[in-house]
Amino acid sequence: MANMKKSEVLKIIGQNIKRIRLEKGFTQVDLVGKIEARIDTTNISRIEKGRTNATIHTLYKISQALEVPLSEICDVYFSERV
Amino acid sequence: MANMKKSEVLKIIGQNIKRIRLEKGFTQVDLVGKIEARIDTTNISRIEKGRTNATIHTLYKISQALEVPLSEICDVYFSERV
DNA sequence: TTCATATTTGCCATATTTGACAAGTTTAAT
DNA sequence: ATTAAACTTGTCAAATATGGCAAATATGAA
């Protein structure tokens, strides 16, 4: 729960996205194709890798493409117990 | 559910933050005081008003100060049904 | 109203995200 | 090993988030 470092938060969120994406059988290119607003595999990759501190609207667009609630992507509590 | 505009997403997230903050009886100044990393009431105000597309780490810091899961702040589905 | 506190807004400087493209790397199959 | 698809990473420019301060406005109590 408590006080994760920035890098750790970003890494967990990236892992969430990647996990959900793979569960749904999407490639990064698939995602880009599904997102109405513009986004790039470059950016998706950086977010999945936890290298970028994405804005909430970018994460929202990704959640739309993944067909899950934004809050699912932002769930940092389960991963934390690993 | 579907395809909210950026401004709408930001507004709902801001409302979530403000609602939770008031429920807990915190002022913006209280929040700033509780956040270890640096943040400003200026920024909190802008986020609560939906004027800024905050990064996920900023929202994480706010969620820590509010003592709620990040995912609660990022819940855009309930508000949507208003 | 007056006063104090809280919030909002404008402005600035700095840092970083984002989109874009290209190049490099990984992965998996044959 | 070769090939193709998927992913990563570097760099760039433009847009914007952030922190900071100050001023304006709002809120609420006395």
Side-chain angles (χ1 to χ4, degrees):
Chain A
M1 152 132 207
N3 258 321
M4 283 182 278
K5 282 185 306 178
K6 177 177 176 181
S7 61
E8 192 171 4
V9 174
L10 302 190
K11 192 182 302 181
I12 290 173
I13 287 173
Q15 288 169 347
N16 286 348
I17 292 172
K18 183 165 189 172
R19 173 179 43 76
I20 296 168
R21 177 172 64 79
L22 295 179
E23 279 170 5
K24 301 247 177 179
F26 296 142
T27 66
Q28 291 180 354
V29 177
D30 290 336
L31 274 207
V32 170
K34 295 190 64 186
I35 298 178
E36 58 302 332
R38 210 160 279 274
I39 199 171
D40 197 82
T41 59
T42 305
N43 206 20
I44 292 182
S45 176
R46 285 190 284 229
I47 293 168
E48 285 190 357
K49 293 296 239 183
R51 306 172 121 274
T52 252
N53 179 17
T55 62
I56 194 65
H57 182 241
T58 296
L59 295 181
Y60 173 76
K61 288 188 290 184
I62 292 174
S63 76
Q64 291 278 103
L66 289 175
E67 300 165 4
V68 296
L70 173 60
S71 53
E72 193 168 326
I73 286 179
C74 297
D75 196 336
V76 297
Y77 290 89
F78 290 103
S79 312
E80 194 181 4
R81 300 194 194 110
V82 173
Chain B
M1 156 142 202
N3 257 320
M4 285 183 279
K5 283 185 307 178
K6 177 177 176 180
S7 61
E8 191 172 2
V9 173
L10 301 190
K11 192 182 303 181
I12 290 173
I13 287 172
Q15 288 169 347
N16 287 347
I17 292 172
K18 183 166 189 173
R19 174 179 43 76
I20 296 167
R21 176 172 65 79
L22 295 179
E23 280 171 5
K24 301 247 178 179
F26 295 143
T27 67
Q28 290 179 357
V29 177
D30 291 334
L31 274 206
V32 169
K34 296 189 63 185
I35 297 180
E36 58 301 332
R38 210 159 279 276
I39 198 171
D40 199 82
T41 61
T42 305
N43 205 21
I44 292 182
S45 176
R46 286 190 282 230
I47 292 168
E48 284 189 359
K49 293 297 239 183
R51 305 173 122 272
T52 252
N53 178 19
T55 61
I56 194 65
H57 183 241
T58 296
L59 296 182
Y60 174 75
K61 288 188 290 185
I62 293 174
S63 75
Q64 291 277 102
L66 289 174
E67 299 165 8
V68 297
L70 173 59
S71 53
E72 192 167 328
I73 286 179
C74 297
D75 196 337
V76 296
Y77 289 89
F78 291 102
S79 314
E80 196 180 1
R81 301 192 193 109
V82 173

